[in-house]
Amino acid sequence: MADDARRDLSPSSRRDIRPSSPGFWRSPLRGPWLTSVLGVVLLAGITILFVTGLVSYAAYNPDLSPVNDKTPDKGLLGFYLFAWPTDPHWLYRLNQGVHVTLGIVLIPVLLAKLWSVVPKLFALPPARSVGHALERLSLLFLVGGALFEFVTGVLNVQLDYIFPGSFYPLHFYGAWVFFAAFVVHVVLRVPTVVRTLRGRGEPREEDQELVATRPAEPTVSRRGALGIVGAGSLLLFLTTVGQNFDGLLRRTALLAPHGGGDPGTGPNGFQINKTPAAVGLTARDLDAGVDGSGDGTWRLTVEGPAGAVRLTRADLLRMPQYSVALPIACVEGWSTSDQWWRGVRLRDLAELAGYEGDAAPGVLVESLQRRGAFRMAALRDNQVRDPRSLLALQVNGEDLTPDHGYPARVIVPAAPGVHNTKWVARLKFGEAGELR
């Protein structure tokens, strides 16, 4: 698909060494048909990406508390936000798995689309009409926004936070800028795409810029080129999607940090996102005493109208214990299958704090971790009241390991992984407004 090198030094060829010259781009593959097919694929894929991205943001319950919201001053951009549900319990796992996997799969399509229209970026004059000028302006935000969103998304999946600032506001605001340009571009281009794919009418003059005036000899057909793009997307799919599953399939996720690596064996042998050492915790910080006897330094503080109650791990183990099967799913797109968690229901701890029955409000969860994002998280009242929401002490029949949150961690159905706080030190129950 690469353009042939230009070695002819004749006067006409010398004029074609400029990207704005019609003879500069010689690939016989470029044309309205190839561009239209790639555009239709991106139209469907990017729309799904945008919707699942917004849903993912809503899952953080950003209006509940500032500790949940990494995108300040969102204003009207948060018009759609809703209270995140706890059913079905795999909702966030499915949404984020689709968002990340589809984003990776669309990379070859996006690159092929950019390659197919690159001559138009250099076409002169830059604007032939008001409509053409608007289209060219939208392209500036469209191409820049697409590259920004895909690059930051891939870096986040790979846990490479090399961009300035927090990933959340960068990706959130970038998505709105990109999608606005995307909508403008789609409105302007849909009539041409429909005509091209139906084979009706002559292409517009500006679309003819995609067709080489002096085409080189073809080495592959346009359908063959689409096959190459599709094969690239399929390869990325096969080497990414496995991060959403446990067992042998996860080993195929070679491009995902939580893919092919071995998390170990036994009840605690499943993926983790951060270790105690990574957030500044020591063995003394997590010391709950031998067999949770309470002789160690760790205590859980529960606050509410009844005052503050300090509990040892042994105190928690003496409370009624419940078991639930829930996954862990993270914004990077990886997740685990359902694990069996056992511990104290959050609604029972709310009752201990002074709230009766179904009156349990939201809760501010504070971790022992000393550094890193999401040291605290706020949960809504519906999350606290769900009988599957636990302060977990064990998983799959054994005590949690420090990597999985020992002495105690939160596990909530359908919640993002970072809201299933590990190494919990404090639970402050109160109305959502008090958590702001």
Side-chain angles (χ1 to χ4, degrees):
M1 293 169 64
D3 295 302
D4 288 351
R6 280 158 286 278
R7 298 181 179 177
D8 186 352
L9 298 180
S10 65
S12 62
S13 294
R14 284 197 293 270
R15 288 195 298 270
D16 290 338
I17 65 175
R18 300 187 302 272
S20 58
S21 301
F24 182 86
W25 308 100
R26 299 191 59 198
S27 172
L29 299 182
R30 289 192 182 93
W33 183 84
L34 179 65
T35 300
S36 297
V37 171
L38 294 170
V40 168
V41 175
L42 287 175
L43 172 61
I46 286 176
T47 301
I48 295 173
L49 279 183
F50 185 69
V51 172
T52 54
L54 294 184
V55 170
S56 177
Y57 179 58
Y60 284 78
N61 286 318
D63 284 342
L64 182 62
S65 168
V67 302
N68 287 6
D69 193 0
K70 304 301 179 182
T71 54
D73 303 322
K74 58 184 176 292
L76 292 177
L77 299 183
F79 72 92
Y80 69 94
L81 291 173
F82 54 94
W84 187 249
T86 56
D87 280 308
H89 72 276
W90 40 260
L91 179 59
Y92 188 76
R93 182 185 184 193
L94 174 64
N95 181 84
Q96 205 60 16
V98 169
H99 182 74
V100 171
T101 304
L102 180 59
I104 298 294
V105 165
L106 286 178
I107 289 175
V109 184
L110 175 66
L111 295 178
K113 170 71 172 179
L114 294 178
W115 174 87
S116 73
V117 299
V118 70
K120 297 184 67 173
L121 300 179
F122 298 92
L124 296 176
R128 299 185 179 89
S129 65
V130 174
H132 187 238
L134 183 61
E135 182 180 341
R136 295 294 295 272
L137 183 62
S138 72
L139 281 176
L140 177 65
F141 292 99
L142 184 70
V143 174
L147 293 176
F148 179 82
E149 287 297 288
F150 276 82
V151 169
T152 54
V154 169
L155 289 175
N156 181 67
V157 170
Q158 296 298 322
L159 308 180
D160 291 327
Y161 304 109
I162 60 176
F163 35 78
S166 170
F167 166 76
Y168 297 91
L170 288 174
H171 207 64
F172 178 80
Y173 293 127
W176 278 106
V177 171
F178 165 66
F179 199 73
F182 181 71
V183 169
V184 172
H185 186 72
V186 167
V187 169
L188 293 172
R189 296 297 299 170
V190 160
T192 300
V193 170
V194 172
R195 283 198 310 270
T196 299
L197 294 181
R198 287 181 175 179
R200 298 177 181 175
E202 292 295 323
R204 297 188 309 173
E205 180 182 349
E206 50 263 38
D207 291 323
Q208 292 287 10
E209 298 164 355
L210 301 177
V211 181
T213 57
R214 295 190 302 112
E217 287 296 321
T219 57
V220 65
S221 68
R222 288 189 176 93
R223 285 183 171 80
L226 288 177
I228 293 172
V229 173
S233 292
L234 178 61
L235 178 63
L236 290 177
F237 175 79
L238 294 176
T239 52
T240 302
V241 70
Q243 68 174 332
N244 296 284
F245 305 93
D246 292 331
L248 292 177
L249 192 56
R250 186 178 293 274
R251 296 183 181 275
T252 66
L254 302 177
L255 299 183
H258 295 87
D262 185 4
T265 58
N268 281 268
F270 55 96
Q271 303 294 325
I272 62 168
N273 206 21
K274 53 189 176 183
T275 64
V279 295
L281 295 178
T282 66
R284 175 175 171 78
D285 296 320
L286 307 179
D287 182 9
V290 178
D291 298 325
S293 63
D295 295 333
T297 58
W298 180 83
R299 296 291 187 275
L300 172 71
T301 301
V302 178
E303 297 181 14
V309 180
R310 286 171 58 82
L311 303 171
T312 66
R313 198 167 189 275
D315 294 331
L316 292 169
L317 287 168
R318 282 192 290 268
M319 295 180 68
Q321 303 290 299
Y322 297 86
S323 296
V324 296
L326 296 174
I328 296 176
C330 284
V331 69
E332 298 92 357
W334 70 272
S335 61
T336 72
S337 299
D338 288 356
Q339 310 294 326
W340 276 98
W341 308 90
R342 186 168 177 81
V344 182
R345 294 189 304 189
L346 292 183
R347 62 191 299 174
D348 292 344
L349 291 169
E351 186 172 347
L352 184 65
Y355 292 96
E356 303 241 350
D358 290 336
V363 62
L364 182 66
V365 185
E366 184 176 346
S367 172
L368 286 172
Q369 72 177 74
R370 293 189 172 89
R371 57 175 179 262
F374 294 101
R375 179 178 169 273
M376 294 186 291
L379 301 176
R380 284 190 183 275
D381 53 359
N382 65 311
Q383 294 174 309
V384 172
R385 294 169 188 172
D386 193 300
R388 297 167 296 178
S389 297
L390 302 180
L391 181 72
L393 306 173
Q394 297 178 320
V395 64
N396 297 324
E398 287 192 5
D399 288 345
L400 298 167
T401 61
D403 281 350
H404 283 297
Y406 181 89
R409 69 169 297 162
V410 164
I411 188 74
V412 174
V418 290
H419 281 191
N420 291 314
T421 308
K422 297 196 286 188
W423 315 297
V424 176
R426 184 185 303 272
L427 297 173
K428 183 178 180 180
F429 291 92
E431 298 298 330
E434 297 176 8
L435 300 179
R436 293 183 179 277

